[in-house]
Amino acid sequence: MRRLAAAAASIIVALTAAPTAAVARPSSEPGSSTGRHLERDTRAPLSLLARQLGRQALPAGDGWAAAGPGTTGGAAASADQIHVVRSRAELVAALGGDNATNATNATPKIVYVSGSVDGFEAADGRLLDCTDLADPEYSLAAYLAAYDPAVWGRVAPSGVLEQARVRSVTNQTRQTQINVGPNTTIIGLRGARLTGLTLMIDRASNVIVRNITFDDARDCFPAWSPTDGEAGNWNSQYDQISVRRSENVWIDHNTFTDGDNPDSAQPVHFGRPYQVHDGALDITHTASLVTASWNRFVGRDKLMLIGSSNTVGPDVGRLNVTLHHNLFDTVLQRLPRVRFGQVDVYNNAYRLGGDGFEYAIGVGVQSAVHAESNHFALGTGVDAADLLYDWGGTAITTRGNWVDPADGPSRPVDLVAAYNAVHDPDLNPDAGWTPTLRHGPVLPAPLVPLVVGPLAGAGRLPL
C-alpha cells in the first residue's frame, strides 16, 4: 500500500511543481524580455509561473501527441506574440487578427484567457442572442409548423424554411466558431471561461489548450433529422473543441460543461428532446496524435467522438488518441466512441448513472481501443455489462479495470467478458496492439479516483 501511495504522490508532485525541462525558451532577440513585454499590461501582470506554464510543452512520451515532432504549441513565441485576452474580439486578434484566416496563421503564439470570454459578444461589446443571428426568413415556430412529421412526413426537411435555417447556421458559425492556427498555446488564468463558442482546430497542428472551463457551446438552430433512429432526433452542430485534420494536439486540465443550460432542460418537439449541444471534444476528419489528459467532463450527453464516419477511407491509420487521468462525471455516452483509431484509454475515473445513461466506451468500425486501469463508479441501474457498446467494431483490449457498483463492493472487472455475457455478437478481447507512449506510472485502478477526482479539470494548475 505504501508503494501505491508513493505512486500517487509522484503524480501529484509532477502536476503541481513548476515546469523545468519541458519549458521552452523564448525565441526573442537578444536583450528582449518576455516578462517585461507581458507586464506592460498593468491590468493583469503575469506571474513567473504563468509564463513558464504558457511555454510548457507536452512531456516526452505523454501519449500519442508526443509522437513524431511532439507537441510544443506556442512555446517558441516571440515577445510580441504573447497576449492576455478578456473578450471575443481580443481572442480573435491574438490568434491572428481575422477569424476567417486565423486557421492558417502558423506564427507561434501564446494566448492567456483572463475571465470569461463569450462567443456571442459582438464587436461593440454587446451580447447577441439567437434572434440576432437568425436569417430574416427563419423562425423556430414556423419551422416546427412546416416540418411536423404529422404534416411533412418522415423525410428530411427541404425548401425555403430549411434553407433559411442553414443560412442562420452560417451566421452563427461566423460568430461563435473561433478558428485556431498551428503552433498555438491557449491557456487560462485562474477562473478562465470560454462560453458559447467552439474552438476549431482544423488543419492546425501543434496546438495546446489548457486550464479553461468550456461552457454551453449551444446551437441556436438545431436540425431535425426524421430518420435518425426510430422516432427521429434533433441534431446540433457545435462542439466545445473540435480537432480536425490536425496532428500533435494536447488538451489538458480543462472542464467541459453545459452550465445552467443542460439539454435535459430543453423542450420536447416532435416527441424528441430539442438538443442544442453536440460534443465536448470531438476528434474527426483524419485528425491524429492527440493527447487529452486531466480534463473534467461534467453533466453532458455526447462527449467525445473519435472518427465521424463508418466509411473506410482516409481515416484508416489515423485517429490515434490517448485519454488519461480524465474525470467523466455524470455523463451519458461517447466516453469515447471510436472508429478506426488506436485509442489508449487508461487511468480515467468514471462516475456513471442517472437518467439517460447509454454506455461508456463505444467500439466502432475498425477501432482498436486499449482500456487499462480505469475506475468505474456505477449508479443505480448501471451494470458492468453496460460499459461497452458495439457500434460495428470487433475487438477491444481491457485489463486492470475496476467497478464500484451501487449495490456492492469495488472489484476488478473483465469488461469484455461482462459485455459478452449479455450481448451478441461477442467482442474479441484483443485489439491487436500495446501502447508504448505513456508518461509516468500507470496507477492501479483503485487509486485512480483518489488522484483524478481532486486534480482533474480547470483551476488545478498553479496559475
Side-chain angles (χ1 to χ4, degrees):
M1 197 68 188
R2 281 195 297 269
R3 272 185 287 181
L4 296 183
S10 70
I11 292 284
I12 294 170
V13 169
L15 277 169
T16 56
T20 53
V23 177
R25 297 301 179 194
S27 59
S28 51
E29 294 181 0
S32 69
S33 167
T34 301
R36 286 196 298 272
H37 172 80
L38 290 170
E39 292 182 4
R40 290 173 191 159
D41 184 346
T42 58
R43 294 177 296 173
L46 293 170
S47 68
L48 174 62
L49 189 53
R51 295 196 299 272
Q52 288 180 315
L53 285 170
R55 293 192 182 274
Q56 187 174 20
L58 176 70
D62 193 349
W64 275 111
T71 303
T72 59
S78 59
D80 62 341
Q81 290 297 328
I82 302 171
H83 312 271
V84 179
V85 303
R86 299 167 181 81
S87 68
R88 178 190 176 279
E90 289 180 354
L91 176 59
V92 169
L95 291 170
D98 182 352
N99 197 38
T101 61
N102 281 353
T104 60
N105 186 315
T107 303
K109 62 192 79 69
I110 301 172
V111 180
Y112 293 89
V113 178
S114 178
S116 182
V117 172
D118 197 314
F120 282 78
E121 182 183 26
D124 61 6
R126 67 189 178 95
L127 285 182
L128 306 173
D129 60 25
C130 292
T131 58
D132 294 309
L133 300 174
D135 184 87
E137 296 186 25
Y138 175 85
S139 77
L140 178 59
Y143 192 87
L144 293 175
Y147 302 117
D148 186 331
V151 176
W152 181 260
R154 293 283 177 182
V155 295
S158 63
V160 172
L161 269 172
E162 172 61 11
Q163 292 165 6
R165 187 196 67 81
V166 171
R167 291 194 298 272
S168 302
V169 170
T170 299
N171 294 339
Q172 181 173 352
T173 299
R174 190 180 298 116
Q175 173 68 36
T176 66
Q177 178 178 298
I178 305 300
N179 298 314
V180 180
N183 308 318
T184 299
T185 293
I186 303 176
I187 184 167
L189 299 175
R190 186 165 299 279
R193 181 177 297 266
L194 295 180
T195 186
L197 60 76
T198 297
L199 281 189
M200 177 59 71
I201 304 169
D202 190 0
R203 297 185 177 92
S205 296
N206 192 31
V207 173
I208 296 172
V209 181
R210 306 182 76 189
N211 202 47
I212 296 170
T213 293
F214 289 85
D215 176 25
D216 191 18
R218 59 197 177 276
D219 188 341
C220 290
F221 314 104
W224 171 241
S225 303
T227 59
D228 181 359
E230 294 182 1
N233 274 304
W234 292 96
N235 288 302
S236 55
Q237 175 163 315
Y238 302 104
D239 305 320
Q240 292 173 310
I241 299 179
S242 181
V243 182
R244 303 179 179 183
R245 292 172 283 243
S246 302
E247 291 186 343
N248 297 104
V249 177
W250 182 26
I251 309 297
D252 177 70
H253 275 98
N254 302 289
T255 295
F256 297 85
T257 173
D258 292 335
D260 60 1
N261 187 37
D263 280 330
S264 60
Q266 302 303 319
V268 172
H269 296 306
F270 303 159
R272 300 297 297 159
Y274 188 66
Q275 192 168 62
V276 299
H277 300 106
D278 198 17
L281 168 60
D282 280 8
I283 301 160
T284 60
H285 296 79
T286 73
S288 199
L289 308 185
V290 177
T291 296
S293 56
W294 300 98
N295 299 291
R296 180 178 295 252
F297 301 88
V298 183
R300 301 195 83 247
D301 182 359
K302 300 172 184 177
L303 244 69
M304 188 180 304
L305 188 64
I306 301 177
S308 56
S309 169
N310 288 343
T311 302
V312 177
D315 281 332
V316 175
R318 308 286 298 173
L319 301 170
N320 296 330
V321 178
T322 298
L323 308 178
H324 71 80
H325 300 94
N326 300 287
L327 174 61
F328 299 99
D329 190 359
T330 322
V331 287
L332 304 184
Q333 60 176 313
R334 301 183 181 179
L335 319 177
R337 176 180 174 179
V338 181
R339 297 175 171 99
F340 300 107
Q342 291 185 339
V343 177
D344 186 14
V345 182
Y346 78 93
N347 275 177
N348 299 284
Y350 293 80
R351 301 172 183 165
L352 304 176
D355 294 340
F357 173 75
E358 296 193 25
Y359 64 92
I361 301 173
V363 184
V365 173
Q366 295 188 23
S367 63
V369 177
H370 185 109
E372 182 175 353
S373 296
N374 301 288
H375 185 275
F376 299 85
L378 307 182
T380 302
V382 180
D383 187 78
D386 303 326
L387 298 179
L388 304 182
Y389 192 93
D390 183 357
W391 284 107
T394 59
I396 176 173
T397 300
T398 67
R399 60 180 59 164
N401 301 289
W402 280 57
V403 292
D404 184 2
D407 57 355
S410 297
R411 57 181 173 82
V413 61
D414 182 332
L415 293 176
V416 174
Y419 176 88
N420 289 345
V422 176
H423 301 90
D424 288 314
D426 284 358
L427 292 171
N428 186 315
D430 184 3
W433 72 292
T434 300
T436 58
L437 290 167
R438 289 177 173 174
H439 180 74
V442 176
L443 295 176
L447 275 183
V448 168
L450 304 179
V451 174
V452 172
L455 295 178
R460 273 68 176 180
L461 293 178
L463 277 150

